[in-house]
Amino acid sequence: MRIPFHLSADWFACWSAGFGPVITAETLALRETHERIGLFKIPSLRSATNPHSARYDAPPGTALPRDLPARLFAGRAIGSIRIDYLPENAALLSAARGWSANFRVRIAPHALTPVVDCRQSYDTWFAARSKRIRQRLRGHGKQVFDALGMTVEFRSGDPTQSDLFERILDVEQSGWKGRGGTAIRDNADELRFYTALVQRAAAASALKVALLWHGDTLAAFEFGVIGEGRLFLLKVGYDERYADLSVGYLLAAEHIRHCCEQPAIHWYDKMGNGMHPAEYKLRFADHCDTLYRATIYAPGLRGALLHGRDVARARAKAWRDRRREAAA
């Protein structure tokens, strides 16, 4: 099984006998978009990924012909094909390196995703945390679990079959995301996406939901999907009335403990959609995996302009970063 569970999950529906899936713009889930150069827009194709795309790749055994970019460029006045969130071992990434023999190809880091190695024991993971985090988890843990009697629960069933998913959405919307208008419920498309995702993941026995209860009150939650020995953590949230007790941190630690006890889960992946993951994610991570962007540029003027723009941007960013490091 490959993650993510996009709504258009049947990417590779076209088959050629004896050769495995035949990849087209449709089965690769590429969408038409525009790349800007000043006031000009250049039509392009881009992978249908988003910040919650865990990883992007072709399924094992997929045929990735050397002339695939030529097929995708044929008959289209586009300037580039961009594919995001490719892990180091992705078949698409390897293929893109091969396509560089005939096309301009640029491969660059796109996101860092903080991960916890669950093949180790929980005690080993805990001992590697900073002194401050260890003290915080111990101290607030005594208050939450001993004094208040809060309990942790793990579920894998479909939360939309009861009021659980609504309660999860209530908690997420009650905090800063709700105030900022970025909670799941604040966007109808996002609500449909996550509702379908948890339903499909539960049906595939790939859903994992962690819950922290104070009696009948949901104090914190985490949910994600499991694939290839990895738990991809998609959403977390906590009731801000318990903020002073670090309930979000405590549930994360208990979720990691649970994963360390599951032989089928090797990695707890907190996910990241940029090169600068949130600090709270890094406090829990053992290291960060790098995900890549591969851009294949069309022959001709459009491709040359986009390639020149991307190279110039990369050089400007590198110069800026060097200046910041020198000033630090």
Side-chain angles (χ1 to χ4, degrees):
M1 180 182 300
R2 289 276 167 163
I3 301 299
F5 285 85
H6 287 293
L7 294 184
S8 55
D10 297 326
W11 301 332
F12 303 96
C14 299
W15 291 78
S16 173
F19 294 97
V22 175
I23 298 180
T24 67
E26 290 72 29
T27 56
L28 253 183
L30 298 174
R31 58 187 177 87
E32 294 187 6
T33 184
H34 290 88
E35 297 286 343
R36 283 188 175 274
I37 299 181
L39 298 177
F40 298 97
K41 295 180 180 180
I42 298 180
S44 295
L45 293 177
R46 183 177 179 182
S47 57
T49 51
N50 57 55
H52 297 295
S53 298
R55 303 192 168 209
Y56 191 91
D57 196 10
T62 302
L64 293 167
R66 295 184 68 85
D67 66 342
L68 177 59
R71 296 185 195 180
L72 295 175
F73 287 131
R76 292 185 175 91
I78 59 176
S80 66
I81 302 164
R82 195 168 88 191
I83 306 173
D84 294 334
Y85 298 102
L86 295 168
E88 179 62 51
N89 62 348
L92 276 170
L93 189 61
S94 177
R97 293 187 175 111
W99 295 332
S100 63
N102 300 306
F103 298 90
R104 293 186 185 94
V105 174
R106 188 168 185 276
I107 296 171
H110 178 58
L112 294 177
T113 180
V115 297
V116 174
D117 186 350
C118 297
R119 298 168 300 179
Q120 64 188 329
S121 70
Y122 173 81
D123 290 341
T124 300
W125 170 82
F126 185 85
R129 300 312 99 204
S130 69
K131 181 179 179 181
R132 182 178 180 182
I133 291 297
R134 294 198 309 271
Q135 290 177 337
R136 187 173 180 177
L137 292 175
R138 286 192 184 109
H140 287 165
K142 289 180 180 179
Q143 292 176 270
V144 164
F145 298 121
D146 297 339
L148 294 178
M150 289 192 186
T151 57
V152 176
E153 180 186 12
F154 301 100
R155 297 191 189 183
S156 57
D158 181 358
T160 67
Q161 295 299 308
S162 66
D163 69 343
L164 177 58
F165 196 54
E166 292 301 318
R167 298 181 71 172
I168 286 172
L169 297 179
D170 286 342
V171 169
E172 191 209 27
Q173 195 172 37
S174 70
W176 64 269
K177 289 184 180 180
R179 293 191 295 274
T182 60
I184 291 174
R185 275 213 192 103
D186 293 322
N187 183 296
D189 289 337
E190 191 165 340
L191 178 59
R192 283 193 294 271
F193 175 86
Y194 280 105
T195 301
L197 185 148
V198 298
Q199 291 172 338
R200 296 179 63 175
S205 300
L207 183 67
K208 179 69 70 174
V209 182
L211 307 162
L212 179 63
W213 296 100
H214 185 202
D216 293 331
T217 300
L218 182 60
F221 73 88
E222 295 189 347
F223 74 79
V225 292
I226 300 172
E228 298 182 334
R230 186 179 293 254
L231 171 62
F232 296 97
L233 200 63
L234 294 175
K235 283 291 182 178
V236 304
Y238 65 91
D239 187 327
E240 291 187 352
R241 290 176 296 178
Y242 300 100
D244 291 344
L245 296 174
S246 303
V247 290
Y249 276 34
L250 289 171
L251 181 59
E254 291 304 308
H255 205 175
I256 290 169
R257 184 198 300 273
H258 176 75
C259 290
C260 288
E261 295 170 350
Q262 307 300 309
I265 300 178
H266 298 164
W267 304 99
Y268 170 94
D269 191 327
K270 294 188 78 68
M271 300 180 61
N273 64 340
M275 294 303 294
H276 302 284
E279 187 63 33
Y280 80 90
K281 294 184 178 182
L282 296 175
R283 295 187 185 114
F284 285 78
D286 293 317
H287 68 270
C288 289
D289 288 345
T290 302
L291 302 179
Y292 294 87
R293 165 180 290 170
T295 308
I296 304 95
Y297 301 91
L301 180 60
R302 291 184 180 89
L305 288 173
L306 289 176
H307 181 262
R309 180 205 65 176
D310 291 347
V311 170
R313 281 181 174 177
R315 289 175 177 171
K317 183 177 182 300
W319 177 82
R320 182 200 65 192
D321 291 344
R322 288 194 298 269
R323 295 260 303 185
R324 286 179 176 175
E325 290 176 2

Coordinates of all heavy atoms in Angstrom, one line a residue, residues 110-180:
H110 N 12.8 19.4 -0.9 CA 11.5 20.1 -0.9 C 10.9 20.2 0.5 O 10.3 21.2 0.9 CB 10.5 19.4 -1.8 CG 9.2 20.0 -1.8 ND1 8.9 21.3 -2.2 CD2 7.9 19.5 -1.5 CE1 7.6 21.5 -2.2 NE2 7.0 20.4 -1.8
A111 N 11.2 19.2 1.4 CA 10.6 19.2 2.7 C 11.4 18.3 3.6 O 12.0 17.3 3.2 CB 9.1 18.7 2.7
L112 N 11.5 18.7 4.9 CA 12.0 17.8 5.9 C 10.9 17.3 6.8 O 10.1 18.1 7.3 CB 13.0 18.6 6.8 CG 14.3 19.1 6.1 CD1 15.2 19.9 7.1 CD2 15.1 17.9 5.5
T113 N 10.9 16.0 7.0 CA 9.8 15.4 7.8 C 10.4 14.8 9.1 O 11.2 13.8 9.0 CB 9.0 14.4 7.0 OG1 8.0 13.8 7.8 CG2 9.9 13.3 6.4
P114 N 10.1 15.3 10.3 CA 10.7 14.7 11.5 C 10.1 13.4 11.8 O 8.9 13.2 11.8 CB 10.2 15.8 12.6 CG 9.9 17.0 11.8 CD 9.3 16.5 10.5
V115 N 11.0 12.4 12.2 CA 10.5 11.1 12.4 C 11.1 10.5 13.7 O 12.2 10.9 14.2 CB 10.9 10.1 11.3 CG1 10.2 10.5 10.0 CG2 12.4 10.0 11.1
V116 N 10.4 9.6 14.3 CA 10.8 8.9 15.5 C 11.1 7.4 15.1 O 10.2 6.8 14.5 CB 9.8 8.9 16.6 CG1 10.2 8.1 17.8 CG2 9.5 10.4 17.1
D117 N 12.2 6.9 15.5 CA 12.5 5.5 15.3 C 11.8 4.6 16.3 O 12.3 4.5 17.5 CB 14.0 5.3 15.3 CG 14.4 3.9 14.9 OD1 13.6 3.0 14.7 OD2 15.7 3.7 14.7
C118 N 10.7 3.9 15.9 CA 10.0 3.1 16.9 C 10.5 1.7 17.0 O 9.9 0.9 17.7 CB 8.5 3.1 16.4 SG 7.7 4.7 16.5
R119 N 11.6 1.4 16.3 CA 12.3 0.1 16.4 C 13.0 0.0 17.8 O 13.3 -1.1 18.2 CB 13.2 -0.2 15.3 CG 12.5 -0.2 13.9 CD 13.4 -0.2 12.8 NE 14.3 1.0 12.8 CZ 15.2 1.3 11.9 NH1 15.5 0.4 10.9 NH2 15.9 2.4 12.0
Q120 N 13.3 1.1 18.4 CA 13.9 1.2 19.7 C 12.8 1.1 20.8 O 11.6 1.3 20.5 CB 14.7 2.5 19.8 CG 13.8 3.8 19.7 CD 14.6 5.0 19.7 OE1 15.7 5.1 20.2 NE2 14.1 6.1 19.0
S121 N 13.2 1.0 22.0 CA 12.3 1.0 23.1 C 11.9 2.4 23.4 O 12.6 3.4 23.1 CB 12.9 0.4 24.3 OG 13.9 1.2 24.9
Y122 N 10.7 2.6 24.0 CA 10.2 3.9 24.5 C 11.2 4.5 25.4 O 11.5 5.7 25.4 CB 8.9 3.8 25.1 CG 8.4 5.1 25.7 CD1 7.8 6.1 24.9 CD2 8.5 5.3 27.1 CE1 7.4 7.3 25.5 CE2 8.1 6.5 27.6 CZ 7.6 7.5 26.8 OH 7.2 8.7 27.4
D123 N 11.8 3.7 26.3 CA 12.7 4.2 27.3 C 14.0 4.8 26.6 O 14.5 5.8 27.1 CB 13.1 3.1 28.3 CG 12.0 2.8 29.3 OD1 11.0 3.6 29.4 OD2 12.1 1.7 29.9
T124 N 14.4 4.2 25.6 CA 15.6 4.7 24.8 C 15.2 6.0 24.2 O 16.0 6.9 24.2 CB 16.0 3.7 23.8 OG1 16.4 2.4 24.4 CG2 17.2 4.2 23.0
W125 N 14.0 6.1 23.6 CA 13.6 7.3 23.0 C 13.5 8.4 24.0 O 14.0 9.5 23.8 CB 12.2 7.1 22.3 CG 11.6 8.4 21.8 CD1 11.9 9.1 20.7 CD2 10.7 9.2 22.6 NE1 11.2 10.3 20.7 CE2 10.4 10.4 21.8 CE3 10.0 9.1 23.8 CZ2 9.6 11.4 22.2 CZ3 9.2 10.1 24.2 CH2 9.0 11.2 23.4
F126 N 12.9 8.1 25.2 CA 12.7 9.1 26.2 C 14.0 9.6 26.7 O 14.2 10.9 26.9 CB 11.8 8.5 27.3 CG 11.5 9.5 28.4 CD1 10.3 10.3 28.3 CD2 12.2 9.6 29.6 CE1 10.0 11.2 29.3 CE2 11.9 10.5 30.5 CZ 10.8 11.3 30.4
A127 N 15.0 8.7 26.9 CA 16.3 9.2 27.5 C 17.0 10.1 26.5 O 17.9 10.9 27.0 CB 17.1 7.9 27.7
A128 N 16.7 10.1 25.2 CA 17.3 10.9 24.3 C 16.7 12.3 24.2 O 17.3 13.2 23.5 CB 17.3 10.2 22.9
R129 N 15.6 12.6 24.8 CA 15.0 13.9 24.8 C 15.8 14.8 25.7 O 16.6 14.4 26.6 CB 13.6 13.8 25.3 CG 12.6 13.0 24.6 CD 12.6 13.2 23.1 NE 13.4 12.1 22.5 CZ 13.9 12.2 21.3 NH1 13.9 13.3 20.6 NH2 14.6 11.2 20.8
S130 N 15.6 16.1 25.5 CA 16.3 17.1 26.3 C 15.8 17.0 27.8 O 14.7 16.5 28.1 CB 16.0 18.5 25.8 OG 14.6 18.8 26.0
K131 N 16.6 17.5 28.7 CA 16.3 17.4 30.1 C 15.0 18.2 30.4 O 14.1 17.7 31.1 CB 17.4 18.1 30.9 CG 17.1 18.1 32.4 CD 18.3 18.7 33.2 CE 18.0 18.7 34.7 NZ 19.2 19.3 35.4
R132 N 14.8 19.3 29.7 CA 13.6 20.1 29.8 C 12.3 19.3 29.4 O 11.3 19.3 30.1 CB 13.7 21.4 29.0 CG 12.5 22.3 29.2 CD 12.7 23.6 28.4 NE 11.6 24.5 28.5 CZ 11.5 25.7 27.9 NH1 12.5 26.1 27.1 NH2 10.5 26.4 28.1
I133 N 12.4 18.6 28.3 CA 11.2 17.8 27.8 C 11.0 16.7 28.8 O 9.8 16.4 29.1 CB 11.5 17.4 26.4 CG1 11.5 18.5 25.4 CG2 10.4 16.3 26.0 CD1 10.1 19.3 25.4
R134 N 12.0 16.0 29.2 CA 11.8 14.9 30.1 C 11.1 15.3 31.4 O 10.2 14.7 31.9 CB 13.2 14.2 30.5 CG 13.8 13.5 29.3 CD 14.9 12.5 29.7 NE 15.8 13.1 30.6 CZ 17.0 13.7 30.3 NH1 17.3 13.9 29.0 NH2 17.8 14.2 31.3
Q135 N 11.6 16.5 32.0 CA 11.0 17.0 33.2 C 9.5 17.4 33.0 O 8.6 17.2 33.8 CB 11.8 18.2 33.7 CG 13.2 17.8 34.3 CD 14.0 19.0 34.7 OE1 13.7 20.2 34.2 NE2 14.9 18.8 35.6
R136 N 9.3 18.0 31.8 CA 7.9 18.4 31.5 C 7.0 17.2 31.4 O 5.9 17.3 31.9 CB 8.0 19.2 30.2 CG 6.7 19.9 29.8 CD 6.9 20.7 28.6 NE 5.7 21.4 28.1 CZ 5.7 22.3 27.1 NH1 6.8 22.6 26.4 NH2 4.6 22.9 26.7
L137 N 7.4 16.2 30.7 CA 6.6 15.0 30.5 C 6.3 14.3 31.8 O 5.2 13.8 32.1 CB 7.2 14.1 29.5 CG 7.2 14.6 28.0 CD1 8.0 13.6 27.2 CD2 5.8 14.8 27.5
R138 N 7.4 14.2 32.7 CA 7.2 13.6 34.0 C 6.3 14.4 34.9 O 5.3 13.8 35.5 CB 8.6 13.4 34.7 CG 9.4 12.3 34.1 CD 10.6 12.0 35.0 NE 11.5 11.1 34.4 CZ 12.8 11.4 34.0 NH1 13.2 12.6 34.0 NH2 13.6 10.4 33.5
G139 N 6.6 15.7 35.0 CA 5.8 16.5 35.9 C 4.3 16.6 35.5 O 3.4 16.4 36.4
H140 N 4.1 17.0 34.3 CA 2.7 17.1 33.8 C 2.0 15.7 33.7 O 0.8 15.7 33.9 CB 2.6 17.8 32.5 CG 2.9 19.3 32.6 ND1 3.3 20.1 31.6 CD2 3.0 20.1 33.7 CE1 3.5 21.3 32.0 NE2 3.3 21.4 33.3
G141 N 2.8 14.7 33.5 CA 2.2 13.4 33.5 C 1.6 13.0 34.8 O 0.5 12.3 34.9
K142 N 2.3 13.3 35.9 CA 1.8 13.0 37.2 C 0.4 13.7 37.5 O -0.5 13.2 38.0 CB 2.8 13.4 38.3 CG 4.0 12.5 38.3 CD 5.0 12.9 39.4 CE 6.2 12.0 39.4 NZ 7.2 12.4 40.5
Q143 N 0.4 15.0 37.0 CA -0.8 15.8 37.2 C -2.0 15.2 36.4 O -3.1 15.1 36.8 CB -0.6 17.2 36.8 CG 0.3 18.0 37.8 CD 0.6 19.4 37.3 OE1 1.5 19.6 36.5 NE2 -0.2 20.3 37.7
V144 N -1.7 14.9 35.1 CA -2.7 14.5 34.2 C -3.2 13.1 34.5 O -4.4 12.8 34.5 CB -2.2 14.6 32.7 CG1 -3.1 13.8 31.7 CG2 -2.1 16.1 32.3
F145 N -2.3 12.2 34.6 CA -2.7 10.8 34.7 C -3.0 10.3 36.2 O -3.9 9.6 36.4 CB -1.6 9.9 34.1 CG -1.4 10.1 32.7 CD1 -0.1 10.5 32.2 CD2 -2.4 9.9 31.8 CE1 0.1 10.7 30.8 CE2 -2.2 10.2 30.4 CZ -1.0 10.6 29.9
D146 N -2.2 10.9 37.1 CA -2.4 10.5 38.5 C -3.5 11.4 39.2 O -4.5 10.9 39.8 CB -1.1 10.6 39.3 CG -0.1 9.6 38.7 OD1 -0.5 8.6 38.1 OD2 1.1 9.8 39.0
A147 N -3.2 12.7 39.2 CA -4.1 13.6 39.9 C -5.5 13.7 39.3 O -6.6 13.6 39.9 CB -3.5 14.9 40.1
L148 N -5.5 13.9 37.9 CA -6.8 14.1 37.2 C -7.4 12.8 36.7 O -8.6 12.8 36.3 CB -6.6 15.1 36.1 CG -6.2 16.5 36.5 CD1 -6.0 17.4 35.2 CD2 -7.3 17.1 37.3
G149 N -6.6 11.8 36.6 CA -7.2 10.5 36.2 C -7.5 10.4 34.7 O -8.4 9.7 34.3
M150 N -6.8 11.2 33.9 CA -7.0 11.2 32.4 C -6.5 9.8 31.9 O -5.6 9.2 32.4 CB -6.3 12.3 31.7 CG -6.8 13.7 31.9 SD -6.1 14.9 30.8 CE -6.9 16.4 31.4
T151 N -7.1 9.4 30.8 CA -6.8 8.1 30.2 C -6.5 8.3 28.7 O -7.0 9.2 28.0 CB -8.0 7.1 30.3 OG1 -9.2 7.6 29.8 CG2 -8.2 6.8 31.8
V152 N -5.7 7.3 28.2 CA -5.4 7.3 26.8 C -6.0 6.2 26.1 O -6.1 5.1 26.6 CB -3.8 7.2 26.6 CG1 -3.5 7.1 25.1 CG2 -3.1 8.5 27.2
E153 N -6.5 6.4 24.9 CA -7.2 5.3 24.1 C -6.7 5.4 22.7 O -6.5 6.4 22.1 CB -8.7 5.5 24.1 CG -9.5 4.5 23.4 CD -11.0 4.8 23.3 OE1 -11.4 6.0 23.6 OE2 -11.8 3.9 22.9
F154 N -6.6 4.2 22.1 CA -6.2 4.0 20.7 C -7.2 3.3 19.9 O -7.7 2.3 20.4 CB -4.8 3.3 20.6 CG -3.7 4.0 21.3 CD1 -3.3 3.5 22.6 CD2 -3.1 5.1 20.8 CE1 -2.3 4.1 23.2 CE2 -2.0 5.7 21.5 CZ -1.6 5.2 22.7
R155 N -7.6 3.9 18.8 CA -8.7 3.3 18.0 C -8.2 3.1 16.5 O -7.4 3.9 16.1 CB -10.0 4.1 18.0 CG -10.6 4.2 19.4 CD -12.0 4.8 19.3 NE -12.6 5.1 20.6 CZ -13.8 5.6 20.7 NH1 -14.6 5.8 19.6 NH2 -14.3 5.8 21.9
S156 N -8.8 2.2 15.8 CA -8.5 2.1 14.4 C -9.8 2.0 13.6 O -9.7 1.9 12.3 CB -7.7 0.8 14.2 OG -8.4 -0.4 14.7
G157 N -11.0 2.0 14.2 CA -12.2 2.0 13.5 C -12.6 3.4 12.9 O -12.0 4.4 13.2
D158 N -13.6 3.4 12.1 CA -14.0 4.6 11.4 C -14.7 5.5 12.4 O -15.8 5.3 12.9 CB -15.0 4.2 10.3 CG -15.5 5.4 9.5 OD1 -15.2 6.5 9.8 OD2 -16.3 5.2 8.5
P159 N -14.1 6.7 12.7 CA -14.6 7.6 13.7 C -15.9 8.3 13.2 O -16.6 8.9 14.0 CB -13.5 8.6 13.9 CG -12.7 8.6 12.6 CD -12.8 7.2 12.1
T160 N -16.2 8.3 11.9 CA -17.4 8.9 11.4 C -18.6 8.1 11.6 O -19.8 8.6 11.4 CB -17.3 9.2 9.9 OG1 -17.3 8.0 9.1 CG2 -16.0 10.0 9.6
Q161 N -18.5 6.9 12.1 CA -19.6 6.0 12.3 C -20.3 6.3 13.7 O -21.3 5.8 14.0 CB -19.2 4.5 12.3 CG -18.7 4.0 11.0 CD -19.8 4.1 9.9 OE1 -21.0 3.7 10.1 NE2 -19.5 4.8 8.8
S162 N -19.6 7.2 14.5 CA -20.2 7.7 15.7 C -20.0 9.2 15.7 O -19.7 9.8 14.7 CB -19.5 7.0 16.9 OG -18.1 7.4 17.0
D163 N -20.1 9.8 16.9 CA -19.9 11.2 17.0 C -18.4 11.6 17.2 O -18.0 12.7 17.5 CB -20.7 11.9 18.1 CG -20.3 11.4 19.5 OD1 -19.6 10.4 19.6 OD2 -20.7 12.1 20.5
L164 N -17.5 10.5 17.2 CA -16.1 10.8 17.6 C -15.4 11.8 16.6 O -14.7 12.7 17.1 CB -15.3 9.4 17.6 CG -13.8 9.6 17.9 CD1 -13.6 10.3 19.2 CD2 -13.1 8.2 17.8
F165 N -15.7 11.6 15.3 CA -15.0 12.5 14.4 C -15.5 13.9 14.6 O -14.7 14.9 14.5 CB -15.2 12.1 12.9 CG -14.3 12.7 11.9 CD1 -12.9 12.6 12.1 CD2 -14.7 13.4 10.8 CE1 -12.0 13.2 11.2 CE2 -13.9 14.0 9.9 CZ -12.5 13.9 10.1
E166 N -16.8 14.1 14.9 CA -17.3 15.5 15.2 C -16.6 16.0 16.4 O -16.3 17.2 16.5 CB -18.8 15.4 15.3 CG -19.5 15.1 14.0 CD -19.3 16.1 12.9 OE1 -19.2 17.3 13.3 OE2 -19.1 15.7 11.8
R167 N -16.4 15.2 17.4 CA -15.7 15.7 18.6 C -14.3 16.0 18.4 O -13.7 17.0 18.9 CB -15.8 14.6 19.7 CG -17.3 14.3 20.1 CD -17.4 13.3 21.2 NE -17.0 13.8 22.5 CZ -17.1 13.2 23.7 NH1 -17.7 12.0 23.7 NH2 -16.7 13.8 24.8
I168 N -13.6 15.3 17.5 CA -12.2 15.6 17.1 C -12.2 16.9 16.4 O -11.4 17.8 16.7 CB -11.7 14.5 16.2 CG1 -11.3 13.2 17.0 CG2 -10.4 15.0 15.4 CD1 -11.0 12.0 16.2
L169 N -13.1 17.1 15.5 CA -13.2 18.4 14.8 C -13.6 19.6 15.7 O -13.1 20.7 15.5 CB -14.3 18.3 13.6 CG -14.0 17.3 12.5 CD1 -15.1 17.3 11.5 CD2 -12.6 17.6 11.9
D170 N -14.4 19.3 16.7 CA -14.7 20.3 17.7 C -13.4 20.8 18.4 O -13.2 22.0 18.6 CB -15.7 19.8 18.8 CG -17.1 19.6 18.2 OD1 -17.4 20.3 17.2 OD2 -17.9 18.9 18.9
V171 N -12.6 19.8 18.8 CA -11.4 20.2 19.5 C -10.4 21.0 18.6 O -9.9 22.0 19.0 CB -10.7 18.9 20.1 CG1 -9.3 19.2 20.6 CG2 -11.5 18.3 21.2
E172 N -10.3 20.6 17.4 CA -9.4 21.3 16.5 C -9.9 22.7 16.3 O -9.1 23.7 16.3 CB -9.3 20.5 15.2 CG -8.1 21.1 14.3 CD -8.4 20.9 12.8 OE1 -9.5 20.9 12.4 OE2 -7.4 20.9 12.1
Q173 N -11.2 22.9 16.1 CA -11.7 24.2 15.7 C -11.8 25.1 17.0 O -11.8 26.3 16.8 CB -13.1 24.0 15.1 CG -13.6 25.3 14.4 CD -14.9 25.0 13.7 OE1 -15.8 24.2 14.2 NE2 -15.1 25.6 12.5
S174 N -11.7 24.5 18.2 CA -11.8 25.3 19.4 C -10.5 26.1 19.6 O -10.5 27.1 20.4 CB -12.1 24.5 20.6 OG -11.0 23.6 20.9
G175 N -9.4 25.8 19.0 CA -8.1 26.4 19.3 C -7.7 27.4 18.3 O -8.6 28.1 17.6
W176 N -6.4 27.6 18.2 CA -5.9 28.7 17.3 C -6.3 28.5 15.8 O -6.4 29.5 15.1 CB -4.4 28.8 17.5 CG -3.6 27.6 17.0 CD1 -3.2 26.6 17.8 CD2 -3.1 27.4 15.7 NE1 -2.5 25.6 17.0 CE2 -2.4 26.1 15.8 CE3 -3.1 28.1 14.5 CZ2 -1.8 25.6 14.7 CZ3 -2.5 27.5 13.4 CH2 -1.8 26.3 13.5
K177 N -6.4 27.2 15.4 CA -6.8 27.0 14.0 C -8.2 27.6 13.7 O -8.5 28.1 12.7 CB -6.7 25.5 13.7 CG -5.3 25.0 13.6 CD -5.3 23.6 13.1 CE -3.8 23.1 13.1 NZ -3.8 21.6 12.6
G178 N -9.1 27.3 14.7 CA -10.4 27.9 14.5 C -10.4 29.4 14.5 O -11.1 30.0 13.7
R179 N -9.7 30.0 15.4 CA -9.6 31.4 15.4 C -9.0 32.0 14.2 O -9.3 33.1 13.7 CB -8.8 31.9 16.7 CG -9.4 31.6 18.0 CD -8.7 32.3 19.1 NE -7.4 31.8 19.3 CZ -7.1 30.7 20.1 NH1 -8.0 30.0 20.7 NH2 -5.8 30.4 20.2
G180 N -8.1 31.3 13.6 CA -7.5 31.7 12.3 C -8.2 31.3 11.1 O -7.8 31.6 10.0

